[in-house]
Amino acid sequence: MTYVDSHCHIDRYDDPTAVMRRAEAANVVTIAVTELPSAFQRLSVRLGKRRFFRLALGLHPLRVSLATSMELALFAQLLDRVDYVGEVGLDHSRDGRPSFPQQVKVFERLLQNARVKDKILTVHSRGAEKETIQCLAAAEVTAILHWYSGALTHIDAAVEAGLWFSVNSAMLRSKNGQRIIRSIPRERIVTETDGPYVKVGRQASEPRDIPGIVKGLANIWNEDPEYARERVLDTMRDIAQAAWGGSDPTRSPSRLS
């Protein structure tokens, strides 16, 4: 049995190696996102080639103040080496408002690179859901909106633009998160942890928690957990088909991971 964690910050754990071992023991294929191209480089050395991990090239919206010309050039330089891009996007929360104009410039610059067309993007949109969806729709890229928390009214626009959504345990626990999940077509949903930023009890969520998230989805859908697991895997295959023409992301390693 295989599961998918489509968004996890492996490099932010105190002991990434232990987290990776537990993920592999739980048969969870994990997309390890990064927050800067230089962080991607460091994590690529640490990860090496692992059957259950895919490494994503990121430039987090709350890190744009660190996005020097060298980091931006490094992003472009590394893009051909990856199948996944993330975490990227926009943030108009209290933390992100001061840098929002710069975020938009950086995000639009990244999306204008023609080479992102054959990548799977995992995208941050907190407080800027409408703007993020509009940018992704205009760029016509294959993208997953990670931990969507915006208005239900924007979901139809995202689906119409061909976007997907990833859900985590925090969404399953909250009434608003459950409303959002029920408003998204099942075939547009995949699973994530966003660990270690999301907690399960007092512990940081990690990829081995994905089977529990699948069970939570099954409860909301009033379906068997095996149905939910297969539904998520089928959706990941659809995303791979849209991005690069049919590779199964749970079976064939990306070029770097």
Side-chain angles (χ1 to χ4, degrees):
M1 293 177 64
T2 306
Y3 299 87
V4 175
D5 183 349
S6 67
H7 189 106
C8 185
H9 298 260
I10 290 294
D11 59 340
R12 307 304 293 176
Y13 290 93
D14 292 336
D15 190 347
T17 301
V19 172
M20 289 188 287
R21 283 199 302 264
R22 291 191 288 267
E24 291 168 354
N27 288 326
V28 179
V29 175
T30 301
I31 299 172
V33 298
T34 53
E35 298 183 2
L36 284 169
S38 55
F40 169 92
Q41 280 191 313
R42 291 191 295 272
L43 187 57
S44 67
V45 173
R46 190 166 193 173
L47 274 180
K49 290 185 179 294
R50 289 178 178 265
R51 176 186 171 198
F52 282 90
F53 284 84
R54 316 287 182 261
L55 188 54
L57 174 64
L59 210 169
H60 195 288
L62 295 181
R63 302 291 182 266
V64 295
S65 61
L66 303 175
T68 61
S69 57
M70 183 177 297
E71 289 281 3
L72 292 171
L74 187 58
F75 187 97
Q77 176 186 333
L78 294 169
L79 194 54
D80 283 337
R81 296 176 58 193
V82 300
D83 293 322
Y84 298 86
V85 168
E87 182 171 359
V88 295
L90 299 174
D91 188 303
H92 200 254
S93 68
R94 181 176 61 183
D95 292 337
R97 284 177 200 135
S99 64
F100 192 71
Q102 186 182 2
Q103 290 178 40
V104 173
K105 290 179 182 178
V106 170
F107 190 43
E108 289 180 343
R109 176 174 172 175
L110 299 184
L111 293 176
Q112 286 167 3
N113 190 319
R115 291 175 293 160
V116 302
K117 296 283 189 180
D118 64 348
K119 315 298 179 187
I120 295 175
L121 280 63
T122 176
V123 182
H124 182 110
S125 62
R126 183 173 58 182
E129 293 82 11
K130 181 179 179 180
E131 295 89 341
T132 304
I133 292 166
Q134 288 175 340
C135 286
L136 294 171
E140 298 182 332
V141 291
T142 304
I144 303 167
L145 293 170
H146 121 80
W147 196 348
Y148 180 86
S149 59
L152 299 182
T153 53
H154 299 317
I155 291 175
D156 286 344
V159 171
E160 186 176 345
L163 305 180
W164 285 266
F165 299 79
S166 54
V167 305
N168 56 42
S169 58
M171 296 177 70
L172 291 168
R173 289 193 300 266
S174 75
K175 290 184 179 179
N176 184 55
Q178 292 171 20
R179 281 195 294 268
I180 288 170
I181 292 169
R182 290 190 177 98
S183 300
I184 301 169
R186 295 181 184 185
E187 65 274 13
R188 290 281 157 178
I189 291 177
V190 294
T191 46
E192 66 160 61
T193 58
D194 198 23
Y197 299 118
V198 170
K199 305 296 181 184
V200 176
R202 295 183 178 181
Q203 301 296 318
S205 184
E206 56 182 80
R208 68 172 174 179
D209 297 321
I210 287 292
I213 295 171
V214 168
K215 289 180 181 178
L217 267 181
N219 288 337
I220 288 178
W221 290 341
N222 195 27
E223 296 282 1
D224 184 84
E226 178 60 14
Y227 164 87
R229 187 188 72 85
E230 286 288 352
R231 176 64 270 171
V232 169
L233 288 181
D234 284 345
T235 300
M236 280 303 301
R237 294 181 184 111
D238 291 343
I239 295 170
Q241 175 71 34
W244 58 73
S247 293
D248 180 349
T250 69
R251 295 183 181 273
S252 59
S254 67
R255 290 189 289 273
L256 192 65
S257 58

